[in-house]
Amino acid sequence: MAGGGRRPPFPPGALLGMVAVMAAGLVAQSRESAVPQRAPYFMEENCVYGDTRHEVKVYVKVFTNSPFLVCMDVSYAKEEVIDPKYLWTGPDGKDLEGQKYVNLTETGKLMLRGFRESMSGAYTCTLSHKVVQMMTQEEREMVEAYKFMVYAYQEADHAYQVFVRYVTNKCQQEANSRFFEELIKTLNSIISDLKCHIIEPSYKCHSIRTPEQGLLHELFITFQVNPFASRWEGICHQIPYYCEDAPNRRVEEARVNIAKFFERQAYLLKHELRTIPAIYYQENSIAMTRINSCRPGFGKNITHKKCAACCVVCEPGTYSPNNDVTCQICARPQVKTYGATSC
């Protein structure tokens, strides 16, 4: 507190008495060869401290345990606190003591186990303790309240938009469509073991004048590499724990495999093929762009600056029905839950 409000000032008489006590202590210390010293203070790791001035935002990845929420601020944590008592309440306003999903320590720390989006909300702790004047033994009760806004988050799901070019004989020919279909089948086959697949494939043919080769006809091919192939997305809804990080690992492997496929195409054309095919890969034409998306009930919001890259659970009054990256505002803000997928 400002102005030293936590430890009330001693009256002049008490200060004189304190000086006498300190002098006696120094004499006693000089007579003893070894006096135990208090260990230096260290802030604990994996702890988030409260602040009476404002609510503290905390972001917890789904299915993991939260850091310890400490029912005091940093300055109190460095002091002795006499007869502390802690009362933690959850988003529903009920006492958290005895709840299966919490770990409450005797020093007022709260850990939330196996965090889910429905557990998001305000967690409040009330700390009551005594301030004792040493000379008069006068006691005064102090009460502090700390509010933590705890949000579930997920890593954004990754997909890749891919663009490549192939040289062809001419634009108006059926061979282009057949080649395109076979190319997509081949690409799907090399990433199918990763449970990834190609979506939204398309191509257009353009005539291009080049300084070196004159007029060329090229297929501009684009497609997206998606990590949710063959009912995998449905499995994720049923058992979401298995899908928390796996899709991003799989799609990264798929991206590497596809890049190697086109590198191999360029190598064969340069070093092994004696006859140039009617349709062939334009070397170095591949471009890949990562696309981020959030799962239903999650989105990105500028208010979550400490977790800007995260997909944070949609707050009450907002929802996300699909894999977009934003939580939409309900026209009629009747939704009072976190992680809503509809209004």
Side-chain angles (χ1 to χ4, degrees), residues 266-336:
Y267 178 84
L268 291 174
L269 191 63
K270 259 187 176 182
H271 302 287
E272 295 188 12
L273 296 180
R274 295 182 179 180
T275 304
I276 297 178
I279 303 175
Y280 61 89
Y281 171 64
Q282 179 71 282
E283 187 177 6
N284 297 324
S285 68
I286 186 171
M288 294 188 177
T289 303
R290 194 172 80 179
I291 301 171
N292 294 334
S293 62
C294 297
R295 296 182 197 173
F298 290 80
K300 295 185 179 182
N301 192 304
I302 59 173
T303 61
H304 298 297
K305 295 180 181 179
K306 291 184 178 179
C307 205
C310 310
C311 291
V312 181
V313 65
C314 293
E315 298 189 51
T318 67
Y319 73 106
S320 177
N322 49 35
N323 292 84
D324 203 352
V325 292
T326 56
C327 295
Q328 305 173 36
I329 298 175
C330 294
R332 296 180 179 179
Q334 299 173 342
V335 177
K336 297 181 180 180

Side-chain angles (χ1 to χ4, degrees), residues 2 4 9 17 27 109 119 127 137 143 152 164 169-170 181 187 251 268 284 289 303 310 321 328 333 339 343:
V27 172
K109 298 175 187 174
M119 297 164 63
L127 165 65
Q137 293 299 302
V143 178
V164 293
N169 287 331
K170 56 183 179 179
E181 291 174 2
L187 293 173
V251 81
L268 291 174
N284 297 324
T289 303
T303 61
C310 310
Q328 305 173 36
C343 285

Side-chain angles (χ1 to χ4, degrees), residues 195-234:
K195 303 296 186 294
C196 295
H197 68 153
I198 304 298
I199 64 172
E200 301 176 6
S202 65
Y203 80 93
K204 290 183 179 180
C205 189
H206 297 278
S207 299
I208 302 172
R209 188 196 68 81
T210 66
E212 299 85 7
Q213 299 173 283
L215 189 66
L216 292 178
H217 304 289
E218 293 191 9
L219 305 178
F220 285 40
I221 298 172
T222 185
F223 56 87
Q224 190 177 125
V225 184
N226 188 280
F228 296 107
S230 182
R231 297 174 297 175
W232 185 259
E233 193 163 12

Side-chain angles (χ1 to χ4, degrees), residues 166 256-273 281:
Y166 274 79
V256 171
N257 290 351
I258 286 175
K260 288 180 178 179
F261 169 81
F262 288 110
E263 289 172 6
R264 179 65 177 166
Q265 295 263 302
Y267 178 84
L268 291 174
L269 191 63
K270 259 187 176 182
H271 302 287
E272 295 188 12
L273 296 180
Y281 171 64

Side-chain angles (χ1 to χ4, degrees), residues 153-170:
Y153 81 89
Q154 295 177 331
E155 301 290 347
D157 288 327
H158 301 162
Y160 281 93
Q161 191 71 33
V162 183
F163 173 79
V164 293
R165 290 161 63 171
Y166 274 79
V167 179
T168 184
N169 287 331
K170 56 183 179 179

Side-chain angles (χ1 to χ4, degrees), residues 38-45 47 49 74 77-78 109:
R38 179 177 295 179
Y41 175 82
F42 295 101
M43 299 301 292
E44 296 182 71
E45 295 182 359
C47 290
Y49 290 82
V74 173
K78 296 178 181 179
K109 298 175 187 174

Side-chain angles (χ1 to χ4, degrees), residues 183-201:
L183 175 65
I184 298 304
K185 285 181 182 178
T186 301
L187 293 173
N188 266 320
S189 69
I190 66 176
I191 62 175
S192 61
D193 62 325
L194 297 170
K195 303 296 186 294
C196 295
H197 68 153
I198 304 298
I199 64 172
E200 301 176 6

